[in-house]
Amino acid sequence: SESLDRLNPLIFLDEVGLPGGTGANEAVWFGLFTAGGLIGGLGLTELVSRVTHPERIRSIVWALVALEAVLIVAMVLFGSAQLFIVALVAYWTTAWVRQASQPLTLAWLNRGLDPRSRATVLSLESQADALGQTAGGPMMGLVATATTVRVAIVAAGLLLLPALPIFATQLRGSEDPPPPPGD
């Protein structure tokens, strides 16, 4: 995510460009991008919360697989977009999916955790995320410098592919508890 966060302005400014003739300057455009990302993220988070069942691990994992797959496609599409509208929709999709995935990831991590180790596991997850951003961001910056910003963003999206089989392993052999009576 770090590479997308740092390199996305270059796609909008240097590659696809911002729409002209609107009178809006770059700060206004990036404010609109952020606002659209937040509002759409809230909407997708609400939708995901309605279609997943937090007491059923398979429901959470299926949602994570779907969201991760959409994130990968959106990042690749954003990195290769030639048109402003395509770049904007792909960018917003990445923001929405990242926001909607956070509560699901926490629910997935918290399943079956001993309360005595919960804080440690959640701290470790945060540290792993920070390490990934610290290492991955500069690495993708080097890729962007050696090639193009587009290649770096596409590569960052493709680096997420291993998450899909990791989540899929959770689907094999995991069983949800039987639904409560009347469900």
Side-chain angles (χ1 to χ4, degrees):
S1 65
E2 184 69 15
S3 56
L4 181 70
D5 294 341
R6 300 296 164 248
L7 298 175
N8 80 72
L10 297 174
I11 293 290
F12 285 114
L13 295 173
D14 297 343
E15 301 292 335
V16 298
L18 298 172
T22 62
N25 67 21
E26 294 167 356
V28 171
W29 278 110
F30 285 102
L32 291 171
F33 298 162
T34 301
L38 291 172
I39 293 166
L42 289 172
L44 183 59
T45 301
E46 177 63 24
L47 177 65
V48 168
S49 74
R50 290 175 187 244
V51 299
T52 56
H53 303 282
E55 69 283 353
R56 297 189 179 134
I57 190 67
R58 293 178 68 79
S59 175
I60 293 170
V61 174
W62 273 116
L64 284 169
V65 167
L67 288 170
E68 194 72 14
V70 169
L71 179 61
I72 292 165
V73 170
M75 285 183 70
V76 169
L77 187 60
F78 179 71
S80 57
Q82 300 295 318
L83 300 172
F84 171 79
I85 191 67
V86 174
L88 179 61
V89 170
Y91 174 75
W92 273 345
T93 301
T94 64
W96 301 339
V97 167
R98 287 167 59 190
Q99 190 172 338
S101 296
Q102 288 176 345
L104 290 174
T105 301
L106 285 175
W108 178 59
L109 286 172
N110 277 300
R111 293 284 300 194
L113 278 180
D114 183 336
R116 294 174 292 176
S117 64
R118 180 170 287 127
T120 303
V121 171
L122 295 178
S123 174
L124 182 62
E125 187 271 336
S126 292
Q127 290 175 32
D129 180 52
L131 179 63
Q133 290 187 31
T134 302
M139 183 181 9
M140 290 298 105
L142 287 173
V143 170
T145 301
T147 59
T148 67
V149 170
R150 290 182 180 280
V151 169
I153 290 175
V154 169
L158 295 175
L159 282 173
L160 299 175
L161 281 170
L164 296 176
I166 289 170
F167 287 136
T169 62
Q170 293 291 299
L171 292 171
R172 288 191 297 257
S174 68
E175 292 186 29
D176 288 322
D183 193 23

